[in-house]
Amino acid sequence: MKFYPLSIATLVALLVLSVSVSTGQEKMTKEQWQQEINKYTALRTELSTKVKSLTDQIAALRSQSSKLDDDVTKCMDELYALVGSNAELAAAYRAEIEAAENTANGLLRLSDADLMARSDEVEDLEAKVVKSLWENKLSLIPEFWDRLTTLNENVKSLRRTLAGATKMYSVGTWARNRDCLWNISKKEDIYDNAWMWPKIWQGNRDQIKDPDIIHPGQKLMIPQGGEMTAEEKAAARSYYSKLAFQNKNKGGNGQ
Amino acid sequence: MQKISGTYSSLALALLFSSSLALFGCSSSPDEAELKQLDDLKEETAALQKDVEGKEQEKGALDKEIADKNAKLSKCNGDQQLVKQRLGK
């Protein structure tokens, strides 16, 4: 058993070596440290150069941007001057268009009945758009031209809706308004044609039994204009026949 | 007795051999000041990297701003021509 002390000694030596190697793996060597220092120093130099280059580029871009601001302002001033205006007046005009657009959008969202009740606003808007906004020379500038064109389309759409919607008419007194179906039908904003009165009669059969009798304050529905329907024509014929018969009888009685 | 002293001397020899290997077999480690120097350098490069990123972002925004202004200027010049045409009609 002579090998026994030697074996123990070898085991101890291996143990000490393995411990020293494992602790050595966690610690940095001087060479590794130097490598890291070199690596980060080079990176610092590279980044510093990059920062400086970017700083210079940013300064140049800022200057370019500032020059462009001046160029754009100058160009816009020249553009307004072409139509005898300036930036301040253009801003006011822009606000006016925006207000008209908001009004048009508000009206476009209304139901037909609500739009009918606010038909005056459509007329005001049309007058404003056509007369005031288009007459301003600033309208020649594309920014405004395009917006006014859209606004015009919206006003036309409102007009079409109003034309298609059913109108209401409140009957006035005979003494003051001379309101009868004939005279109402003759009105320019109704049918502009007295012979169309049967349309109003037929459209309001629930409240007009005798077309010669309507009452002040009655709200009459005014059907859409255009050709009279067969039903309306038949109603008119029936009325005139009845009238002719009554007149004949009156005449006969008188004779 | 002789056997025991032989064992101890073998152990002592093994310890001496392995310790000398562990101590002098590998290169030396950096000291505290050197390690701090490396840490400071790492922090400095991290700050610089952050700076680069910020500046690249700023440059990108400026590039876009300039492109927008160029487009605006180009449109303005086009508008001038159009207005002149409309005025001529």
Side-chain angles (χ1 to χ4, degrees), chain A residues 96-120:
Chain A
E96 243 184 296
I97 291 179
E98 201 172 318
E101 284 169 341
N102 289 339
T103 307
N105 290 335
L107 291 169
L108 281 167
R109 279 194 291 268
L110 293 176
S111 66
D112 287 3
D114 288 343
L115 186 63
M116 279 297 303
R118 292 169 65 178
S119 59
D120 289 353

Side-chain angles (χ1 to χ4, degrees), chain A residues 135-231:
Chain A
E135 276 176 9
N136 192 323
K137 272 192 171 182
L138 276 165
S139 65
L140 295 173
I141 293 173
E143 175 201 346
F144 302 126
W145 179 285
D146 297 343
R147 286 173 76 174
L148 284 178
T149 304
T150 307
L151 197 51
N152 246 7
E153 285 304 314
N154 287 339
V155 170
K156 274 184 191 166
S157 165
L158 287 167
R159 272 272 174 220
R160 279 195 295 273
T161 309
L162 275 179
T166 309
K167 281 186 188 173
M168 298 301 288
Y169 183 83
S170 181
V171 179
T173 59
W174 175 255
R176 190 172 172 178
N177 311 93
R178 290 282 184 269
D179 269 354
C180 63
L181 293 188
W182 177 271
N183 285 342
I184 294 170
S185 183
K186 202 167 65 177
K187 284 179 186 287
E188 208 176 301
D189 59 339
I190 303 292
Y191 297 130
D192 199 18
N193 180 356
W195 293 99
M196 299 286 273
W197 68 266
K199 269 190 173 294
I200 305 174
W201 178 27
Q202 290 306 295
N204 296 275
R205 284 304 292 261
D206 56 329
Q207 51 175 326
I208 304 173
K209 303 298 172 201
D210 181 345
D212 287 326
I213 302 170
I214 53 172
H215 305 284
Q218 258 184 309
K219 305 277 183 206
L220 301 181
M221 191 257 287
I222 309 295
Q224 255 185 283
E227 282 279 302
M228 280 209 290
T229 62
E231 200 178 290

